[in-house]
Amino acid sequence: MLWVAVSVAALGFLIALEVAARRYGEPGPITDQAREVIFAPKSGTVLYVSMALMMVVLTWRQRFIAVGAAIGIDIVFWLVRWAVDAEMMFGNGALWVTLACAVIAVTRRTGRDRVLLLKGVGLALLLVAGRKTGYTWLLITSKTRPVVLDQYVATADHALGNPSWLVGRMVAASGTVGAHVLEWVYIQLAVAAVVVALYQLRNVAVERRFPGHHLVRTFLVIGLLGPAIYMIFPVVGPIFAYGADGGHWAVADLWPDTPPPVGTPHSMLFDETTPRNCMPSLHTAWATAIFIHSRKGPLILRCAGAFWLIATLGATLGFGYHYGADIVAGVVFTLTIETALRSLDRGWDRSGIHLVVYGAAVFAGLLTSYRYLSVEMAGHPWVFGPLLILAMASVVYGYARTTRLWDRKSASVHLPEPRREPQPELV
């Protein structure tokens, strides 16, 4: 019933976004996805990693068949597009195989096998749909929020030492190699998430069930709730508001060489094409989720999770996409969501409720302070800077302490009872 309710809610949400996108003369997520059945996809990598998620419910023989079929279909599409001189891109084969598995589940499977395969297909399609809805959300933010609050965030960022300007100069000094590495990490964030998720879901085919909580759930909820904050607190980022990419809409061309002067911030008009997707930093939020979920994996996975988090922070700041204040808010945002999802899985208790309420209060306090106390924050950086870091650290500490207690309780529940030695029989 939960999966049915989630599916119905997701469909309704997609329809609402489709209608909203049509009002602005753009195709919505449903139309955009439907056309990729035949036409060149925007990202073939996403379609293949989504199919990989779906394949966790298949046997190894079925996985080889699915991959072979996807590659074969893509080769046919590639040859046809080459012959008619159409746009070249792979990924249609992966989408066809995923849809074919849905048809097989309905027509050829029964009972738990049908439900398991449909869950796998649903997981793959949710990941694809999440990317499509993201594009539509960004369009909606740019069309419905003409005024942005970048001056407030940039002023508040003085309390943190203007990290975007600092890291931006560091990335520029690293040359093309450093920039290319950070760009690749930034773009392939979804691939890193799928690698961690595949490790978490590696036993689904054997156990015939999904674990109660895994990375994909956190990833999707972050993507669902994040754009709502974009609408409440629209910010475009330093590269646009204070850099050359903003054109004549920018306050000045200052990034990354000269931090903006401290003054009285104002709301400012901006164009109708740049997404207001800065507050909070969802790339930081997703990278934090990857880091958290990689902690229980092998050493190489833990190292990869730590690298992805550090590199993503470097990219979001160094490319001028985010302020330091966005990073702090993104970490608190993720830990609050992760706590809520883990509580939903294991059952709500006092510690989980307290941490979710506290995380939500800290997040709301951060956004409120950025908006209404930015001048005071810039004027007293040695007071407000440590306070911002302390607020974030308190949520991190609360999450680590609470989850450690939960893991200890779970381990104690599953401990086998001590084995009794046989008693000598009385004669």
Side-chain angles (χ1 to χ4, degrees), residues 72-86 88:
I73 293 171
D74 264 331
I75 291 175
V76 173
F77 270 96
W78 190 279
L79 292 175
V80 172
R81 287 178 183 140
W82 176 76
V84 299
D85 197 23
M88 305 297 286

Side-chain angles (χ1 to χ4, degrees), residues 392-408:
M392 180 184 70
S394 67
V395 179
V396 173
Y397 172 75
Y399 175 82
R401 183 173 178 272
T402 302
T403 53
R404 192 181 301 117
L405 178 63
W406 288 347
D407 292 340
R408 192 179 301 124

Side-chain angles (χ1 to χ4, degrees), residues 28-265:
I30 298 177
T31 303
D32 207 16
Q33 188 58 62
R35 70 180 300 277
E36 291 188 354
V37 176
I38 300 298
F39 297 99
K42 288 184 178 179
S43 175
T45 304
V46 170
L47 292 175
Y48 266 95
V49 296
S50 300
M51 185 185 73
L53 273 182
M54 182 269 298
M55 291 194 302
V56 297
V57 305
L58 304 179
T59 64
W60 279 107
R61 177 177 176 274
Q62 292 167 342
R63 291 169 186 171
F64 284 123
I65 294 174
V67 172
I71 295 175
I73 293 171
D74 264 331
I75 291 175
V76 173
F77 270 96
W78 190 279
L79 292 175
V80 172
R81 287 178 183 140
W82 176 76
V84 299
D85 197 23
E87 181 183 358
M88 305 297 286
M89 177 54 71
F90 64 95
N92 300 88
L95 181 58
W96 276 49
V97 169
T98 302
L99 296 176
C101 286
V103 175
I104 292 172
V106 174
T107 59
R108 303 292 297 275
R109 299 288 179 89
T110 58
R112 293 182 61 185
D113 289 340
R114 171 185 289 175
V115 173
L116 188 67
L117 185 53
L118 285 176
K119 285 182 179 180
V121 172
L123 201 63
L125 294 180
L126 275 176
L127 186 63
V128 175
R131 192 176 182 89
K132 298 300 180 185
T133 56
Y135 293 141
T136 305
W137 263 119
L138 296 183
L139 170 69
I140 293 174
T141 62
S142 63
K143 298 295 184 182
T144 61
R145 293 296 182 268
V147 174
V148 297
L149 304 177
D150 281 78
Q151 292 187 31
Y152 292 93
V153 182
T155 302
D157 225 36
H158 283 275
L160 296 171
N162 299 299
S164 180
W165 273 258
L166 175 62
V167 180
R169 292 194 295 272
M170 292 172 61
V171 171
S174 68
T176 57
V177 175
H180 285 335
V181 170
L182 292 180
E183 182 182 19
W184 181 80
V185 169
Y186 190 84
I187 293 174
Q188 301 300 334
L189 184 68
V191 177
V194 169
V195 170
V196 176
L198 288 176
Y199 175 79
Q200 293 180 320
L201 303 176
R202 66 193 183 280
N203 295 324
V204 171
V206 176
E207 297 176 354
R208 310 307 293 165
R209 65 179 181 86
F210 279 84
H213 179 55
H214 50 82
L215 176 59
V216 181
R217 296 178 69 199
T218 307
F219 226 73
L220 292 173
V221 173
I222 289 173
L224 179 65
L225 298 181
I229 312 300
Y230 294 164
M231 303 292 286
I232 298 171
F233 207 106
V235 182
V236 293
I239 188 65
F240 299 103
Y242 292 93
D245 288 15
H248 68 277
W249 296 96
V251 177
D253 188 1
L254 302 176
W255 189 90
D257 300 317
T258 307
V262 177
T264 303

Side-chain angles (χ1 to χ4, degrees), residues 353-371:
I353 294 173
H354 285 176
L355 186 54
V356 170
V357 172
Y358 178 70
V362 170
F363 181 74
L366 290 174
L367 266 61
T368 303
S369 64
Y370 298 158
R371 177 62 177 83

Side-chain angles (χ1 to χ4, degrees), residues 23 47 68-69 111 123 134 231 237 260 274-275 285 321 331 342 356 370 375-376 397 408 419 425:
R23 290 183 58 187
L47 292 175
L123 201 63
M231 303 292 286
T274 305
Y321 298 147
V331 172
R342 288 197 62 170
V356 170
Y370 298 158
V375 176
E376 289 78 5
Y397 172 75
R408 192 179 301 124
R419 186 175 180 180
E425 186 177 339

